Amino acid sequence: MSSPTIVLVHGAFADASSWAPVTERLLADGYRVLAPPVFNRSLSADAAYITSFVEQIEGPVLLAGHSYGGAVITVAGVADNVVGLVYVSGYALDEGESLGQLQGGFPDSELAANLVYAPYPTDADAPGTDVSVDIEAFPAVFAAGLDTAKARVLAVSQRPLSAIAFGEAATAAAWKTKPGWGIVSSADHTINPEVERFGYKRAGLRSVIEIDAPHLVMQTHPEQVAKVITDAIAELD
């Protein structure tokens, strides 16, 4: 099998630049990498977009999803040319399960008390609801471990997630047919690490490592995250 294209899928309250330190290392090592936008409008729409994006890539694809991006790759990973899944501080949903259902089985993280809700216009009669992280709480809750000045910039440029996404059930669970690998951020204040551990164990991932890192582990520990991705590719070869 030719070396797969690595597609890095970002999560909520962030964008593709959240992967930048990992992207830089993978590119320097000669891998083909793409980091598309996720529009954070609904799980079904986001997964459909990533599926379409992946299906237009020639050859095999390894999907890596951070946070909400884990839920997205769980659904989009059923695309025929996806050969593996890497979960990074992510949600490994089961088919028919929502983010809210998975999270509801565990104590809330600090994120739950620091969410902000705002309307946004839609084509429907009623407006949608955007969910973001309180700007003042963002550095400690979402961007812990980063330089304060950088965390403040991320706080004011975050990409909200539509509230619809929290209650929408996954229509597929690609880990049932595709091999997977996982990273648990054991110092995560955004997702309860137990949510990550439970999802990964249920999915029967080939290997799971724990890093004493906050939610944005790709920013704080990019070498280790990149190694999990490249080790996965080596196993696929």
Side-chain angles (χ1 to χ4, degrees), residues 1-7 30-34 57-63 81-84 229-230 232-234 236-237:
M1 183 179 66
S2 61
S3 184
T5 298
I6 301 166
V7 175
Y31 292 94
R32 185 177 184 221
V33 184
L34 295 170
I57 297 172
E58 185 175 351
V61 169
L62 178 72
L63 283 175
N81 59 332
V82 172
V83 293
I229 292 171
T230 56
I233 289 175
L236 290 169
D237 290 343

Side-chain angles (χ1 to χ4, degrees), residues 7-12 36-54 63-79 82 85-87 90-93 99 161 165 168 170-174:
V7 175
L8 304 173
V9 180
H10 69 82
V38 179
F39 302 110
N40 293 352
R41 295 297 82 186
S42 71
L43 179 56
S44 58
D46 295 332
Y49 175 77
I50 294 300
T51 300
S52 174
F53 184 88
V54 163
L63 283 175
H66 174 249
S67 191
Y68 169 66
V72 174
I73 70 168
T74 294
V75 179
V78 298
V82 172
L85 311 165
V86 178
Y87 291 90
Y91 294 102
L93 299 179
L99 293 172
L161 177 66
E168 190 175 9
T171 56

